[in-house]
Amino acid sequence: MERYAKGFRSFSGFLLLLNLAAFFLPVTVCTQVGYQPVRWSQLSYVQSLFGHANSGEYAIALSQKQILLVVFVMVLPLLLSLLAGILGILGNPRQKVSSLLSFVVLICYLIAVLRLESLWPQAKITQEYQRGAALTLNLAVSAGAAVMAVLSLLATPRKVKKAEQKIPQVREIKQQQVEAKYNIMMEKSNRKKAEEPKAYVPGNPRGVLVGLTGIYAGAEITMPPGEFIRMGRQNTNHLVFEGQKSVSRDHCKMKWNADSQTYTIYDYSSTGSFVNGSHDCLPQNLEMTLEPGCVLAIGDETNTFRLE
């Protein structure tokens, strides 16, 4: 979108610069029978402000009100066209000054078209004053520039307000991942000092992993019956152990068997999984059955869970 905004704004600036060419074209034409037409450009009117206008019968003599009109409908839009044209072509894609100035230029030239006759002197016999081609060109290119300005404003990307909220802690992010994928309810505990996990009640299996130590300490993770939950450092897992070097990228997967009230674990890690403090890891790439009440260490004793 930013590229389109810059393109529209550059084209608008190019059109506005065409007003500089119209400044030298005839804006007023005086015709008289038996004489060559006399043409005054906007430059001629501006020169009259400094006493350098045509002399003799066709001299431009302006009143105070006419001088103000020349300034506001000829000098001012010319300067604004030059400024807006440069900003539109060379300015920042997000700047809006050139677009706003194009509307001011269009308004000035609309006033010039409506009020040009007030700059004409009293016509003598056989004399007639007409509009030249200059204001027609001014009006056409200024209207085109205004259309391009509207398109550039519509295409300019809106600024996104920076979020003022604190970035969630890694542990909270992991909990949200679990909740989103498996609707697992995780209880938050006081992180300043980890609470002691609830005492395990034998004979009452409930399909819950209770975090004893590590990144999930204090959390209770309800296992969906019959569905595997994958664990590992990589964020494609359901339980992510970011920054835990003892845990493999893809470490293992587990599920709760509600019918038999047992757990199934399939370990495919390089660091191993350990049960009840044993120094011998579970066999890799084989499905193993674990009973409720076991304490499972993922990689080492840094991250442990009790199977309830």
Side-chain angles (χ1 to χ4, degrees), residues 182 200 203-209 221-229 231 253-265 288-294 306-308:
Y182 286 95
Y200 172 60
N204 187 27
R206 54 196 185 111
V208 174
L209 297 183
I221 304 169
T222 301
M223 300 282 289
E227 295 185 25
F228 274 106
I229 289 182
M231 305 181 187
K253 62 181 181 179
M254 290 186 62
K255 71 176 179 179
W256 163 245
N257 306 303
D259 295 337
S260 61
Q261 295 190 334
T262 59
Y263 290 87
T264 297
I265 182 171
M288 301 295 296
T289 300
L290 299 179
E291 298 293 331
C294 293
R306 184 169 59 227
L307 282 55
E308 295 189 1

Side-chain angles (χ1 to χ4, degrees), residues 35-228:
Y35 294 88
Q36 291 291 329
V38 177
R39 296 176 175 84
W40 290 306
S41 64
Q42 296 178 55
L43 176 62
S44 302
Y45 281 101
V46 174
Q47 287 177 332
S48 69
L49 302 179
F50 304 97
H52 301 296
N54 299 23
S55 60
E57 186 178 359
Y58 297 99
I60 302 175
L62 301 175
S63 66
Q64 201 167 27
K65 289 184 178 179
Q66 289 174 324
I67 290 174
L68 291 175
L69 185 61
V70 169
V71 171
F72 282 104
V73 302
M74 294 183 184
V75 178
L76 180 62
L78 179 73
L79 296 177
L80 293 181
S81 295
L82 180 61
L83 176 60
I86 294 173
L87 286 176
I89 295 174
L90 303 179
N92 188 288
R94 290 180 177 268
Q95 61 84 20
K96 300 178 182 179
V97 176
S98 62
S99 298
L100 299 177
L101 290 180
S102 65
F103 297 117
V104 178
V105 171
L106 177 60
I107 292 172
C108 289
Y109 283 128
L110 281 172
I111 297 174
V113 171
L114 297 174
R115 299 287 297 168
L116 182 63
E117 294 183 5
S118 65
L119 296 177
W120 297 344
Q122 185 67 35
K124 297 179 181 180
I125 300 175
T126 71
Q127 275 186 345
E128 183 179 354
Y129 289 92
Q130 300 173 344
R131 289 186 176 86
L135 285 182
T136 302
L137 178 60
N138 286 139
L139 207 56
V141 299
S142 298
V147 171
M148 292 296 107
V150 171
L151 294 176
S152 68
L153 290 173
L154 293 176
T156 301
R158 303 295 184 267
K159 289 185 177 180
V160 180
K161 293 183 178 180
K162 294 182 178 180
E164 296 181 356
Q165 298 178 350
K166 291 183 178 180
I167 299 174
Q169 298 299 319
V170 175
R171 190 171 302 175
E172 296 172 347
I173 294 175
K174 308 316 170 193
Q175 292 176 355
Q176 292 171 5
Q177 291 175 340
V178 175
E179 292 171 356
K181 294 183 179 180
Y182 286 95
N183 196 24
I184 295 174
M185 303 303 296
M186 303 181 68
E187 296 183 356
K188 295 182 180 179
S189 62
N190 188 344
R191 299 307 181 185
K192 294 181 180 179
K193 184 177 181 180
E195 297 179 353
E196 291 294 329
K198 297 178 182 178
Y200 172 60
V201 180
N204 187 27
R206 54 196 185 111
V208 174
L209 297 183
V210 178
L212 302 180
T213 61
I215 197 170
Y216 291 101
E220 291 194 2
I221 304 169
T222 301
M223 300 282 289
E227 295 185 25
F228 274 106

